[in-house]
Amino acid sequence: MRTIRLVGTNEEYPIGKILCIGRNYAEHIKELGNETPEAPVIFIKPATAVIGKGEEIVIPPYSQECHHEAELALLIGKKGKDIPVVEAMGLIAGYGVAIDLTLRDVQAELKKKGLPWEIAKGFDTGCPLSDFVAASQVKDPQNLRIRLTVNGVVRQDGNTSLMIHRIAEIVSHMSGIFTLEPGDVILTGTPAGVGPITSGDRLVADISGVGSLEVSVR
Ligand code: ZN
């Protein structure tokens, strides 16, 4: 079973459920031609989708268009249910860098039919994660630069200050639906600039003060 290590501590967490929020940055909603939702759009990836630094993304044969989405990832350190917004930050043990890989062609087809997106989001290797740093090391998680390059070319360059639903709101909202447990991971949505990746590409996602994550496409 994969675990998440908190850099600089002895803490290690078996990866639980990966809760994701979609459409959380206005410019990204615009680029996909989506409507801004009133409530957060939520989906889940299984722990088996995770790969780490230096590992390879394998695009499933049923897709011709896999997109990168660089995102700030939260590591939950405490169990919690129905957590008020003012207490929500206390559940976060650490922060990391995630790439929410999305089979855009498959997702578009499912969306059109009103069907769930799981096979466009939860496939093996579809959730690269970096090491995590302790929450105490990140002064203002709501003001972090997020960048992603493909083969050295900048594709995404955003900031967590541009989130529609703030981190504390996301954790509180998620905890009203799912019991949060240590080892759960929350992906907080992607800024603009998403785009396709192909075999041989080298992706580097980087969040200031948190870390970076390099993976390649088989
Ligand atoms: Zn995403």
Side-chain angles (χ1 to χ4, degrees), residues 54-75:
E55 292 187 66
E56 283 185 327
I57 296 163
V58 181
I59 301 172
Y62 55 85
S63 174
Q64 306 303 315
E65 191 187 14
C66 180
H67 277 197
H68 56 77
E69 299 187 353
E71 310 196 3
L72 176 68
L74 320 175
L75 173 65

Side-chain angles (χ1 to χ4, degrees), residues 21 43 69 71 100 121 189-190:
I21 180 167
F43 55 94
E69 299 187 353
E71 310 196 3
D100 168 20
K121 289 284 196 178
T190 193

Side-chain angles (χ1 to χ4, degrees), residues 182-200:
D184 286 350
V185 174
I186 297 179
L187 306 193
T188 55
T190 193
V194 302
I197 53 174
T198 53
S199 184

Side-chain angles (χ1 to χ4, degrees), residues 27-155:
E27 290 299 315
H28 172 61
I29 294 172
K30 226 186 275 174
E31 74 181 346
L32 290 187
N34 283 321
E35 309 253 305
T36 303
E38 286 194 13
V41 173
I42 293 168
F43 55 94
I44 297 186
K45 294 194 185 220
T48 45
V50 173
I51 57 170
K53 224 170 234 192
E55 292 187 66
E56 283 185 327
I57 296 163
V58 181
I59 301 172
Y62 55 85
S63 174
Q64 306 303 315
E65 191 187 14
C66 180
H67 277 197
H68 56 77
E69 299 187 353
E71 310 196 3
L72 176 68
L74 320 175
L75 173 65
I76 298 299
K78 287 182 194 153
K79 190 169 178 176
K81 173 73 181 164
D82 293 327
I83 304 299
V85 173
V86 290
E87 292 170 24
M89 299 305 277
L91 260 69
I92 301 172
Y95 295 95
V97 183
I99 305 175
D100 168 20
L101 293 170
T102 304
L103 307 177
R104 197 69 72 199
D105 52 348
V106 175
Q107 185 194 35
E109 206 49 45
L110 293 166
K111 267 159 106 176
K112 223 188 291 172
K113 295 177 181 161
L115 294 172
W117 303 346
E118 267 69 19
I119 65 167
K121 289 284 196 178
F123 59 95
D124 286 357
T125 78
C127 192
L129 290 180
S130 71
D131 291 333
F132 280 62
V133 294
S136 57
Q137 303 297 305
V138 180
K139 281 213 178 80
D140 184 2
Q142 209 67 76
N143 184 20
L144 301 172
R145 189 176 185 189
I146 301 186
R147 276 160 46 98
L148 181 137
T149 63
V150 178
N151 304 323
V153 178
V154 178
R155 294 267 195 94

